């Protein structure tokens, strides 16, 4: 399992458009991928789960990937997050 933490710097937080992009990106990998915020963890491949977190600007989230392509998944998601939402914490 690989984990990585990010600080959300986007003014609107993890709202619908970037959440959809992350879910689509996560769907490209076979690994189990979760996003955690405020002691709640959801499947990053589920838009409803991601939106239920209500991640605001200034929040810290943790991604975890477990499976055959976990390294590639974390690398790809890191690129997606840093391009749209925030930075590595």
């Amino acid at each position: 399992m690989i984990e990585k933490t990010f600080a959300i710097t986007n003014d609107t937080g993890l709202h619908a458009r970037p959440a959809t992009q992350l879910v689509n990106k996560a769907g490209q990998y076979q690994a189990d991928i979760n996003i955690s915020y405020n002691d709640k963890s959801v499947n990053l491949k589920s838009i409803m789960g991601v939106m239920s977190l209500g991640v605001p600007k200034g929040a810290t989230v943790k991604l975890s990937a477990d499976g055959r392509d976990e390294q590639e998944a974390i690398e790809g998601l890191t690129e997606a997050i840093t391009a749209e939402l925030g930075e590595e914490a």
Side-chain angles (χ1 to χ4, degrees):
M1 178 184 293
I2 300 174
E3 296 181 343
K4 204 166 215 184
T5 304
F6 299 90
I8 303 301
T9 58
N10 182 305
D11 286 338
T12 54
L14 183 51
H15 62 92
R17 188 179 58 77
T20 300
Q21 290 175 329
L22 285 180
V23 168
N24 289 340
K25 186 71 170 177
Q28 297 175 6
Y29 304 102
Q30 292 184 7
D32 292 325
I33 305 169
N34 290 305
I35 182 169
S36 302
Y37 171 66
N38 272 355
D39 298 323
K40 184 177 178 185
S41 183
V42 299
N43 183 343
L44 188 58
K45 296 177 183 179
S46 165
I47 188 64
M48 294 304 291
V50 174
M51 292 302 297
S52 75
L53 293 176
V55 179
K57 178 181 180 179
T60 299
V61 298
K62 180 173 64 175
L63 296 186
S64 61
D66 188 22
R68 188 177 68 157
D69 57 354
E70 62 190 28
Q71 183 65 44
E72 294 86 9
I74 289 293
E75 289 171 4
L77 290 164
T78 295
E79 288 178 20
I81 289 174
T82 55
E84 287 286 327
L85 289 169
E87 57 196 32
E88 291 183 53

